[in-house]
Amino acid sequence: MKIAFTTLGCKLNYAETSTYERGFVAAGWEVVPWSSKADVYLVNTCAVTETAEKKSRNYIRRAHKTAPAARIIVTGCYAELRREEIEKIEGVWRVYGASEKSKILEDNTESYIFGAYSTGERTRSFLKVQDGCNNFCAYCTVPYARGRSRNIPICECVKMAREIAAAGVKEVVLTGVNTGDFGRTTGESFLDLLKALNEVDGIERFRISSIEPNLITPEIVDWIASGTKFQPHFHIPLQSGSDTLLRRVGRRYDTELFASRIDYIRKAMERPGGPKVFFGIDVIVGLPGETEELFQETYTFLKERIKPAFIHVFPYSRRPGTKAAEWKDQVKESVKAQRVAALEELCKELHAEFVSANKGIREKVLWESSVKGGLMGGYTGNYIRLEKPFDAALVNTLEEVEI
Ligand code: SF4
Protein backbone atom coordinates (compact mmCIF):
# COMPACT_ATOMS: atom_id res chain seq x y z
CA MET A 1 0.00 0.00 0.00
CA LYS A 2 1.22 3.48 -0.84
CA ILE A 3 0.62 6.55 1.27
CA ALA A 4 1.53 10.22 0.72
CA PHE A 5 1.69 12.91 3.41
CA THR A 6 1.53 16.65 3.35
CA THR A 7 1.76 19.05 6.28
CA LEU A 8 0.75 22.66 6.78
CA GLY A 9 1.34 24.97 9.68
CA CYS A 10 3.42 24.62 12.78
CA LYS A 11 6.27 22.42 13.96
CA LEU A 12 3.92 20.34 16.02
CA ASN A 13 2.09 19.31 12.89
CA TYR A 14 5.36 18.32 11.21
CA ALA A 15 6.37 16.24 14.21
CA GLU A 16 3.04 14.47 14.23
CA THR A 17 3.23 13.74 10.51
CA SER A 18 6.65 12.13 11.05
CA THR A 19 5.13 9.91 13.71
CA TYR A 20 2.33 8.85 11.36
CA GLU A 21 4.91 8.21 8.63
CA ARG A 22 6.94 5.95 10.88
CA GLY A 23 3.84 4.08 11.95
CA PHE A 24 2.63 3.43 8.42
CA VAL A 25 6.14 2.36 7.34
CA ALA A 26 6.30 -0.05 10.29
CA ALA A 27 2.96 -1.48 9.16
CA GLY A 28 4.54 -2.23 5.78
CA TRP A 29 3.40 0.81 3.79
CA GLU A 30 5.44 2.68 1.22
CA VAL A 31 5.63 6.48 1.52
CA VAL A 32 5.46 8.28 -1.84
CA PRO A 33 5.57 11.99 -2.80
CA TRP A 34 2.31 13.93 -2.68
CA SER A 35 2.27 14.41 -6.45
CA SER A 36 2.34 10.67 -7.19
CA LYS A 37 -0.42 8.11 -7.20
CA ALA A 38 -1.10 6.63 -3.76
CA ASP A 39 -3.78 4.50 -2.13
CA VAL A 40 -4.12 6.88 0.78
CA TYR A 41 -3.28 10.57 1.27
CA LEU A 42 -2.99 12.17 4.66
CA VAL A 43 -3.26 15.96 4.97
CA ASN A 44 -2.25 17.42 8.31
CA THR A 45 -4.02 20.77 8.09
CA CYS A 46 -3.65 24.17 9.68
CA ALA A 47 -6.26 26.81 10.46
CA VAL A 48 -4.13 29.68 11.65
CA THR A 49 -5.18 31.88 8.72
CA GLU A 50 -7.74 31.70 6.01
CA THR A 51 -4.96 31.12 3.49
CA ALA A 52 -3.87 28.06 5.46
CA GLU A 53 -7.42 26.70 5.29
CA LYS A 54 -7.60 27.37 1.58
CA LYS A 55 -4.27 25.63 1.04
CA SER A 56 -5.49 22.64 3.02
CA ARG A 57 -8.55 22.34 0.75
CA ASN A 58 -6.36 22.64 -2.34
CA TYR A 59 -4.14 19.79 -1.20
CA ILE A 60 -7.20 17.59 -0.70
CA ARG A 61 -8.54 18.44 -4.16
CA ARG A 62 -5.18 17.86 -5.80
CA ALA A 63 -4.83 14.42 -4.21
CA HIS A 64 -8.32 13.49 -5.37
CA LYS A 65 -7.43 14.59 -8.90
CA THR A 66 -4.19 12.55 -8.93
CA ALA A 67 -5.88 9.37 -7.68
CA PRO A 68 -9.69 9.58 -7.70
CA ALA A 69 -10.08 6.16 -6.04
CA ALA A 70 -7.69 6.96 -3.20
CA ARG A 71 -8.83 7.58 0.36
CA ILE A 72 -7.96 10.92 1.87
CA ILE A 73 -7.46 11.31 5.58
CA VAL A 74 -7.64 14.82 7.00
CA THR A 75 -6.41 15.81 10.41
CA GLY A 76 -4.95 18.88 12.19
CA CYS A 77 -6.50 22.13 13.37
CA TYR A 78 -8.64 22.83 10.31
CA ALA A 79 -10.06 19.30 10.64
CA GLU A 80 -10.89 20.01 14.26
CA LEU A 81 -12.67 23.27 13.50
CA ARG A 82 -14.42 22.57 10.20
CA ARG A 83 -15.15 18.87 10.13
CA GLU A 84 -18.46 19.21 8.27
CA GLU A 85 -17.01 21.43 5.60
CA ILE A 86 -14.15 19.00 4.99
CA GLU A 87 -16.32 15.92 4.96
CA LYS A 88 -18.16 17.37 1.97
CA ILE A 89 -15.02 17.57 -0.18
CA GLU A 90 -14.88 14.74 -2.69
CA GLY A 91 -12.45 11.94 -1.91
CA VAL A 92 -12.31 12.59 1.84
CA TRP A 93 -12.40 9.26 3.65
CA ARG A 94 -11.98 10.19 7.31
CA VAL A 95 -11.56 13.35 9.35
CA TYR A 96 -9.73 13.24 12.67
CA GLY A 97 -10.11 16.11 15.10
CA ALA A 98 -7.60 16.87 17.85
CA SER A 99 -8.91 14.30 20.30
CA GLU A 100 -9.04 11.53 17.69
CA LYS A 101 -5.53 11.80 16.25
CA SER A 102 -4.20 8.90 18.26
CA LYS A 103 -6.54 6.60 16.35
CA ILE A 104 -5.20 7.44 12.89
CA LEU A 105 -2.65 4.68 12.75
CA GLU A 106 -4.66 1.97 14.39
CA ASP A 107 -7.81 2.67 12.38
CA ASN A 108 -6.18 2.90 9.01
CA THR A 109 -3.49 0.27 9.13
CA GLU A 110 -6.11 -2.03 10.63
CA SER A 111 -8.74 -1.44 7.97
CA TYR A 112 -6.21 -2.27 5.32
CA ILE A 113 -5.17 -5.38 7.22
CA PHE A 114 -8.83 -6.13 6.77
CA GLY A 115 -8.13 -5.88 3.07
CA ALA A 116 -11.50 -4.21 2.61
CA TYR A 117 -12.93 -6.52 -0.03
CA SER A 118 -11.99 -8.52 -3.06
CA THR A 119 -12.78 -7.24 -6.50
CA GLY A 120 -11.72 -10.03 -8.88
CA GLU A 121 -15.09 -11.42 -9.92
CA ARG A 122 -17.62 -8.96 -11.20
CA THR A 123 -20.63 -10.69 -9.69
CA ARG A 124 -19.44 -11.61 -6.18
CA SER A 125 -17.22 -9.95 -3.62
CA PHE A 126 -15.83 -11.13 -0.26
CA LEU A 127 -16.16 -8.54 2.47
CA LYS A 128 -14.00 -9.18 5.50
CA VAL A 129 -15.71 -7.86 8.60
CA GLN A 130 -13.79 -9.64 11.36
CA ASP A 131 -10.32 -11.02 12.02
CA GLY A 132 -8.58 -12.96 14.77
CA CYS A 133 -9.99 -15.21 17.46
CA ASN A 134 -10.07 -15.53 21.26
CA ASN A 135 -11.03 -19.19 21.48
CA PHE A 136 -7.65 -20.95 21.57
CA CYS A 137 -8.90 -24.33 20.36
CA ALA A 138 -6.16 -26.86 21.12
CA TYR A 139 -5.21 -27.56 17.49
CA CYS A 140 -5.30 -24.01 16.10
CA THR A 141 -2.65 -21.33 15.57
CA VAL A 142 -5.03 -18.55 14.58
CA PRO A 143 -5.14 -16.73 17.95
CA TYR A 144 -1.31 -16.65 17.96
CA ALA A 145 -0.80 -15.91 14.29
CA ARG A 146 -3.63 -13.45 13.64
CA GLY A 147 -4.23 -12.09 17.11
CA ARG A 148 -7.37 -11.53 19.10
CA SER A 149 -10.84 -11.10 17.68
CA ARG A 150 -11.44 -7.66 16.26
CA ASN A 151 -13.61 -5.92 13.72
CA ILE A 152 -14.16 -2.67 11.93
CA PRO A 153 -17.27 -0.65 12.80
CA ILE A 154 -20.61 -1.24 11.11
CA CYS A 155 -20.48 2.18 9.43
CA GLU A 156 -17.25 1.21 7.66
CA CYS A 157 -18.56 -2.19 6.64
CA VAL A 158 -21.55 -0.39 5.12
CA LYS A 159 -19.26 2.08 3.39
CA MET A 160 -17.32 -0.77 1.82
CA ALA A 161 -20.51 -2.56 0.81
CA ARG A 162 -21.63 0.66 -0.92
CA GLU A 163 -18.34 0.80 -2.81
CA ILE A 164 -18.82 -2.81 -3.84
CA ALA A 165 -22.34 -1.98 -5.03
CA ALA A 166 -21.02 1.05 -6.93
CA ALA A 167 -18.63 -1.30 -8.76
CA GLY A 168 -21.70 -3.21 -9.98
CA VAL A 169 -21.22 -6.30 -7.82
CA LYS A 170 -24.52 -7.91 -6.81
CA GLU A 171 -23.49 -10.49 -4.23
CA VAL A 172 -21.42 -10.14 -1.06
CA VAL A 173 -20.02 -12.93 1.10
CA LEU A 174 -19.31 -11.84 4.66
CA THR A 175 -16.08 -13.38 5.86
CA GLY A 176 -13.90 -13.48 8.92
CA VAL A 177 -11.99 -16.00 10.97
CA ASN A 178 -15.03 -16.27 13.18
CA THR A 179 -17.53 -13.98 11.47
CA GLY A 180 -20.24 -14.30 14.13
CA ASP A 181 -17.84 -12.92 16.72
CA PHE A 182 -18.24 -9.50 15.05
CA GLY A 183 -18.56 -6.65 17.51
CA ARG A 184 -15.82 -7.39 20.04
CA THR A 185 -13.85 -4.25 19.22
CA THR A 186 -16.74 -1.91 18.71
CA GLY A 187 -19.38 -3.24 21.10
CA GLU A 188 -21.79 -3.62 18.18
CA SER A 189 -23.80 -6.73 17.41
CA PHE A 190 -23.52 -9.10 14.47
CA LEU A 191 -27.27 -8.86 13.94
CA ASP A 192 -27.06 -5.05 13.70
CA LEU A 193 -24.33 -5.48 11.10
CA LEU A 194 -26.57 -7.76 9.06
CA LYS A 195 -29.47 -5.32 9.34
CA ALA A 196 -27.34 -2.38 8.22
CA LEU A 197 -25.87 -4.27 5.27
CA ASN A 198 -29.30 -5.45 4.19
CA GLU A 199 -30.20 -1.81 3.50
CA VAL A 200 -27.35 -1.23 1.03
CA ASP A 201 -28.89 -0.54 -2.37
CA GLY A 202 -27.48 -2.46 -5.30
CA ILE A 203 -26.35 -5.53 -3.37
CA GLU A 204 -28.99 -8.14 -4.01
CA ARG A 205 -27.65 -11.13 -2.11
CA PHE A 206 -25.57 -11.76 0.99
CA ARG A 207 -24.03 -14.98 2.24
CA ILE A 208 -22.42 -15.65 5.62
CA SER A 209 -19.19 -17.57 5.82
CA SER A 210 -17.36 -19.14 8.80
CA ILE A 211 -19.86 -18.68 11.56
CA GLU A 212 -19.48 -20.75 14.73
CA PRO A 213 -22.63 -22.77 15.52
CA ASN A 214 -23.06 -21.21 18.98
CA LEU A 215 -23.03 -17.71 17.45
CA ILE A 216 -25.75 -18.25 14.88
CA THR A 217 -28.53 -17.61 17.35
CA PRO A 218 -32.29 -18.14 16.84
CA GLU A 219 -32.69 -14.34 16.87
CA ILE A 220 -30.31 -14.00 13.90
CA VAL A 221 -31.92 -16.91 12.06
CA ASP A 222 -35.45 -15.53 12.59
CA TRP A 223 -34.41 -12.17 11.23
CA ILE A 224 -32.70 -13.69 8.17
CA ALA A 225 -35.77 -15.83 7.51
CA SER A 226 -38.10 -12.82 7.67
CA GLY A 227 -37.48 -11.94 4.00
CA THR A 228 -33.98 -10.42 3.83
CA LYS A 229 -31.24 -10.48 1.21
CA PHE A 230 -29.41 -13.17 3.19
CA GLN A 231 -29.45 -16.46 1.32
CA PRO A 232 -30.22 -19.99 2.56
CA HIS A 233 -26.51 -20.83 2.60
CA PHE A 234 -24.26 -21.16 5.67
CA HIS A 235 -20.67 -22.19 6.14
CA ILE A 236 -20.32 -23.59 9.67
CA PRO A 237 -17.36 -25.34 11.30
CA LEU A 238 -18.16 -28.61 13.08
CA GLN A 239 -14.57 -29.97 13.22
CA SER A 240 -15.66 -33.22 14.87
CA GLY A 241 -18.92 -35.08 15.37
CA SER A 242 -17.56 -36.69 18.53
CA ASP A 243 -18.38 -34.95 21.82
CA THR A 244 -15.27 -36.48 23.39
CA LEU A 245 -13.06 -34.74 20.82
CA LEU A 246 -15.03 -31.49 20.79
CA ARG A 247 -14.57 -31.23 24.55
CA ARG A 248 -10.93 -32.19 24.41
CA VAL A 249 -9.96 -29.55 21.84
CA GLY A 250 -12.01 -26.86 23.58
CA ARG A 251 -14.82 -26.18 21.13
CA ARG A 252 -17.68 -24.11 22.55
CA TYR A 253 -20.54 -26.46 21.65
CA ASP A 254 -21.43 -30.14 21.58
CA THR A 255 -23.11 -32.18 18.87
CA GLU A 256 -26.52 -31.63 20.43
CA LEU A 257 -26.24 -27.86 20.20
CA PHE A 258 -24.83 -28.12 16.68
CA ALA A 259 -27.70 -30.33 15.50
CA SER A 260 -30.31 -28.17 17.19
CA ARG A 261 -29.01 -25.04 15.40
CA ILE A 262 -29.12 -26.81 12.04
CA ASP A 263 -32.68 -27.99 12.78
CA TYR A 264 -33.67 -24.48 13.80
CA ILE A 265 -32.32 -22.95 10.59
CA ARG A 266 -34.04 -25.56 8.44
CA LYS A 267 -37.34 -25.08 10.23
CA ALA A 268 -37.19 -21.30 9.98
CA MET A 269 -36.05 -21.10 6.36
CA GLU A 270 -37.38 -24.11 4.47
CA ARG A 271 -40.93 -24.21 3.09
CA PRO A 272 -42.65 -27.04 1.17
CA GLY A 273 -41.77 -26.63 -2.50
CA GLY A 274 -39.08 -24.05 -1.66
CA PRO A 275 -35.29 -24.25 -1.69
CA LYS A 276 -33.47 -26.34 0.91
CA VAL A 277 -30.76 -24.65 2.98
CA PHE A 278 -27.20 -25.30 1.82
CA PHE A 279 -24.87 -26.12 4.72
CA GLY A 280 -21.12 -26.28 4.03
CA ILE A 281 -19.54 -27.92 7.07
CA ASP A 282 -15.83 -27.87 8.03
CA VAL A 283 -14.49 -31.09 9.51
CA ILE A 284 -10.97 -31.96 10.71
CA VAL A 285 -10.09 -35.65 10.61
CA GLY A 286 -7.27 -37.27 12.55
CA LEU A 287 -7.33 -34.99 15.58
CA PRO A 288 -5.09 -36.48 18.29
CA GLY A 289 -7.02 -39.22 20.06
CA GLU A 290 -9.42 -39.79 17.15
CA THR A 291 -9.88 -43.57 17.35
CA GLU A 292 -11.74 -45.43 14.62
CA GLU A 293 -14.78 -45.43 16.89
CA LEU A 294 -14.70 -41.66 17.39
CA PHE A 295 -14.22 -41.10 13.66
CA GLN A 296 -17.29 -43.26 13.05
CA GLU A 297 -19.23 -40.98 15.42
CA THR A 298 -18.36 -38.04 13.14
CA TYR A 299 -19.22 -40.01 10.02
CA THR A 300 -22.58 -41.13 11.33
CA PHE A 301 -23.45 -37.70 12.74
CA LEU A 302 -22.88 -36.14 9.31
CA LYS A 303 -24.54 -38.88 7.29
CA GLU A 304 -27.60 -39.46 9.42
CA ARG A 305 -28.17 -36.38 11.51
CA ILE A 306 -26.83 -33.26 9.76
CA LYS A 307 -26.90 -34.29 6.07
CA PRO A 308 -25.10 -31.15 4.86
CA ALA A 309 -24.89 -30.20 1.19
CA PHE A 310 -21.10 -30.10 1.39
CA ILE A 311 -18.27 -31.18 3.72
CA HIS A 312 -14.95 -29.30 3.67
CA VAL A 313 -12.58 -32.00 4.94
CA PHE A 314 -9.15 -31.16 6.37
CA PRO A 315 -6.61 -33.63 7.76
CA TYR A 316 -5.33 -32.47 11.17
CA SER A 317 -1.86 -30.99 10.97
CA ARG A 318 0.39 -30.69 14.00
CA ARG A 319 1.13 -27.01 14.54
CA PRO A 320 4.07 -26.17 16.80
CA GLY A 321 3.12 -24.03 19.77
CA THR A 322 -0.40 -25.45 20.10
CA LYS A 323 -1.56 -27.74 22.90
CA ALA A 324 -2.67 -30.56 20.59
CA ALA A 325 0.80 -30.74 19.02
CA GLU A 326 2.11 -31.96 22.39
CA TRP A 327 -0.45 -34.72 22.79
CA LYS A 328 0.97 -38.20 22.52
CA ASP A 329 -1.95 -39.93 20.79
CA GLN A 330 -1.33 -38.53 17.30
CA VAL A 331 -3.03 -40.28 14.38
CA LYS A 332 -0.93 -41.82 11.57
CA GLU A 333 -0.90 -39.94 8.27
CA SER A 334 -2.10 -43.01 6.38
CA VAL A 335 -5.14 -43.28 8.67
CA LYS A 336 -5.89 -39.58 8.20
CA ALA A 337 -5.75 -40.06 4.42
CA GLN A 338 -8.29 -42.92 4.62
CA ARG A 339 -10.64 -40.81 6.72
CA VAL A 340 -10.33 -37.84 4.36
CA ALA A 341 -11.23 -40.16 1.47
CA ALA A 342 -14.22 -41.59 3.37
CA LEU A 343 -15.65 -38.14 4.11
CA GLU A 344 -15.01 -36.92 0.59
CA GLU A 345 -16.98 -39.88 -0.70
CA LEU A 346 -19.78 -39.09 1.78
CA CYS A 347 -19.68 -35.47 0.63
CA LYS A 348 -20.29 -36.53 -2.98
CA GLU A 349 -23.31 -38.60 -1.94
CA LEU A 350 -24.76 -35.88 0.25
CA HIS A 351 -24.24 -33.22 -2.42
CA ALA A 352 -26.03 -35.35 -5.01
CA GLU A 353 -28.88 -35.90 -2.54
CA PHE A 354 -29.08 -32.17 -1.88
CA VAL A 355 -29.27 -31.31 -5.57
CA SER A 356 -31.94 -33.92 -6.18
CA ALA A 357 -33.99 -32.71 -3.18
CA ASN A 358 -34.05 -29.28 -4.88
CA LYS A 359 -35.07 -30.60 -8.34
CA GLY A 360 -38.05 -28.80 -9.81
CA ILE A 361 -37.78 -25.87 -7.41
CA ARG A 362 -37.66 -22.36 -8.85
CA GLU A 363 -34.65 -20.34 -7.71
CA LYS A 364 -32.76 -17.25 -8.88
CA VAL A 365 -29.34 -17.73 -10.46
CA LEU A 366 -26.74 -14.97 -10.61
CA TRP A 367 -24.95 -15.55 -13.92
CA GLU A 368 -21.18 -15.06 -13.94
CA SER A 369 -18.98 -13.66 -16.68
CA SER A 370 -16.61 -16.56 -17.36
CA VAL A 371 -17.22 -18.90 -20.29
CA LYS A 372 -16.16 -22.55 -20.40
CA GLY A 373 -16.88 -24.65 -23.45
CA GLY A 374 -19.47 -22.12 -24.58
CA LEU A 375 -21.29 -22.31 -21.24
CA MET A 376 -21.82 -19.76 -18.52
CA GLY A 377 -22.33 -20.67 -14.88
CA GLY A 378 -23.89 -19.24 -11.79
CA TYR A 379 -25.17 -20.10 -8.34
CA THR A 380 -28.69 -20.27 -6.99
CA GLY A 381 -29.42 -18.59 -3.65
CA ASN A 382 -28.87 -21.97 -2.00
CA TYR A 383 -25.56 -22.39 -3.77
CA ILE A 384 -26.34 -24.93 -6.48
CA ARG A 385 -24.23 -24.36 -9.56
CA LEU A 386 -26.12 -24.30 -12.83
CA GLU A 387 -24.94 -23.81 -16.39
CA LYS A 388 -26.44 -22.73 -19.70
CA PRO A 389 -25.19 -21.58 -23.12
CA PHE A 390 -23.34 -18.27 -22.79
CA ASP A 391 -25.43 -15.17 -23.26
CA ALA A 392 -23.56 -11.90 -22.71
CA ALA A 393 -26.79 -10.05 -21.90
CA LEU A 394 -27.34 -12.25 -18.85
CA VAL A 395 -23.93 -11.69 -17.22
CA ASN A 396 -24.33 -10.27 -13.71
CA THR A 397 -28.11 -10.56 -13.78
CA LEU A 398 -30.41 -12.66 -11.63
CA GLU A 399 -32.67 -15.00 -13.53
CA GLU A 400 -35.32 -17.26 -12.09
CA VAL A 401 -34.93 -20.83 -13.35
CA GLU A 402 -36.15 -24.27 -12.49
CA ILE A 403 -33.43 -26.40 -10.87
S1 SF4 B 1 -10.47 -23.15 15.37
FE1 SF4 B 1 -11.58 -21.28 15.01
S2 SF4 B 1 -12.52 -20.84 16.98
FE2 SF4 B 1 -10.88 -22.30 17.41
S3 SF4 B 1 -9.07 -21.03 17.87
FE3 SF4 B 1 -9.00 -21.50 15.69
S4 SF4 B 1 -9.97 -19.75 14.73
FE4 SF4 B 1 -10.56 -19.71 16.90
Side-chain angles (χ1 to χ4, degrees):
M1 299 298 296
K2 291 182 181 165
I3 184 162
F5 295 90
T6 201
T7 312
L8 292 112
C10 63
K11 283 209 179 91
L12 195 64
N13 266 12
Y14 281 89
E16 277 169 5
T17 304
S18 306
T19 310
Y20 303 141
E21 264 191 58
R22 280 196 303 277
F24 277 91
V25 168
W29 291 53
E30 184 189 343
V31 177
V32 297
W34 191 260
S35 53
S36 33
K37 260 198 162 77
D39 300 292
V40 172
Y41 294 85
L42 188 150
V43 197
N44 201 350
T45 61
C46 173
V48 70
T49 60
E50 225 172 88
T51 326
E53 290 188 1
K54 201 172 156 207
K55 268 194 186 168
S56 301
R57 287 195 298 275
N58 282 343
Y59 274 114
I60 298 169
R61 292 204 183 96
R62 222 178 302 153
H64 183 60
K65 217 170 152 197
T66 315
R71 295 176 172 185
I72 303 170
I73 300 169
V74 187
T75 185
C77 300
Y78 178 44
E80 171 69 26
L81 297 174
R82 307 253 187 274
R83 170 184 291 273
E84 281 174 18
E85 187 178 312
I86 297 170
E87 276 172 347
K88 282 189 202 128
I89 307 176
E90 240 184 296
V92 171
W93 158 244
R94 286 174 177 146
V95 179
Y96 291 88
S99 61
E100 303 155 318
K101 281 183 199 168
S102 57
K103 291 194 296 190
I104 289 181
L105 256 174
E106 192 189 317
D107 275 9
N108 295 286
T109 50
E110 182 75 343
S111 49
Y112 276 95
I113 290 169
F114 268 82
Y117 50 84
S118 66
T119 45
E121 164 65 50
R122 207 151 69 88
T123 50
R124 185 184 311 136
S125 191
F126 293 85
L127 172 60
K128 185 171 158 190
V129 296
Q130 184 276 340
D131 200 349
C133 183
N134 296 356
N135 280 6
F136 290 92
C137 299
Y139 53 83
C140 183
T141 52
V142 162
Y144 310 102
R146 306 188 74 102
R148 300 304 157 88
S149 180
R150 58 203 186 277
N151 61 278
I152 42 178
I154 291 178
C155 59
E156 276 175 33
C157 297
V158 168
K159 203 165 180 177
M160 286 194 273
R162 288 202 185 114
E163 288 172 20
I164 294 171
V169 174
K170 302 258 169 70
E171 183 174 302
V172 168
V173 184
L174 299 189
T175 67
V177 166
N178 185 349
T179 310
D181 204 35
F182 180 92
R184 282 206 179 250
T185 326
T186 53
E188 297 165 314
S189 82
F190 184 56
L191 180 54
D192 285 340
L193 169 72
L194 304 188
K195 286 181 176 169
L197 289 173
N198 200 54
E199 298 302 315
V200 174
D201 288 335
I203 306 291
E204 311 218 6
R205 308 209 286 200
F206 287 96
R207 301 180 190 276
I208 302 174
S209 182
S210 302
I211 181 159
E212 292 278 313
N214 48 321
L215 299 177
I216 178 138
T217 60
E219 196 193 4
I220 292 175
V221 175
D222 289 346
W223 178 79
I224 288 177
S226 70
T228 64
K229 296 177 187 170
F230 286 80
Q231 301 299 302
H233 173 197
F234 298 92
H235 176 186
I236 309 178
L238 167 67
Q239 313 308 28
S240 174
S242 146
D243 285 325
T244 314
L245 290 175
L246 288 177
R247 221 174 305 120
R248 189 180 192 207
V249 298
R251 301 290 293 161
R252 309 268 166 119
Y253 52 86
D254 56 14
T255 50
E256 201 184 311
L257 181 130
F258 191 95
S260 72
R261 289 287 150 94
I262 300 285
D263 290 347
Y264 194 93
I265 296 172
R266 285 193 168 124
K267 210 165 147 219
M269 298 186 75
E270 292 182 353
R271 297 281 166 268
K276 309 273 177 260
V277 179
F278 185 107
F279 290 103
I281 306 292
D282 290 341
V283 177
I284 304 175
V285 297
L287 283 166
E290 188 187 62
T291 58
E292 190 52 35
E293 200 190 340
L294 296 185
F295 171 69
Q296 282 309 323
E297 284 183 16
T298 297
Y299 189 91
T300 311
F301 183 65
L302 288 165
K303 186 178 162 86
E304 283 164 22
R305 184 71 178 84
I306 303 301
K307 300 188 173 100
F310 200 86
I311 310 171
H312 304 268
V313 193
F314 305 91
Y316 165 72
S317 80
R318 207 169 172 176
R319 309 307 301 273
T322 58
K323 270 193 258 164
E326 305 299 321
W327 294 343
K328 298 283 170 256
D329 44 1
Q330 300 288 325
V331 174
K332 275 200 214 141
E333 292 303 318
S334 58
V335 173
K336 284 184 205 168
Q338 284 165 13
R339 292 178 185 169
V340 168
L343 285 188
E344 279 177 351
E345 201 44 47
L346 176 62
C347 174
K348 268 191 218 151
E349 282 169 31
L350 290 170
H351 189 71
E353 271 172 34
F354 178 75
V355 173
S356 94
N358 281 282
K359 274 258 145 56
I361 287 167
R362 296 195 71 77
E363 253 286 79
K364 281 189 181 157
V365 176
L366 179 58
W367 296 110
E368 294 167 6
S369 55
S370 50
V371 201
K372 232 186 188 173
L375 296 174
M376 70 198 306
Y379 287 93
T380 60
N382 63 344
Y383 211 58
I384 294 177
R385 186 155 182 91
L386 298 178
E387 287 183 335
K388 71 188 264 174
F390 184 76
D391 176 351
L394 288 177
V395 170
N396 205 21
T397 66
L398 281 155
E399 186 192 18
E400 193 177 286
V401 297
E402 191 180 304
I403 297 176

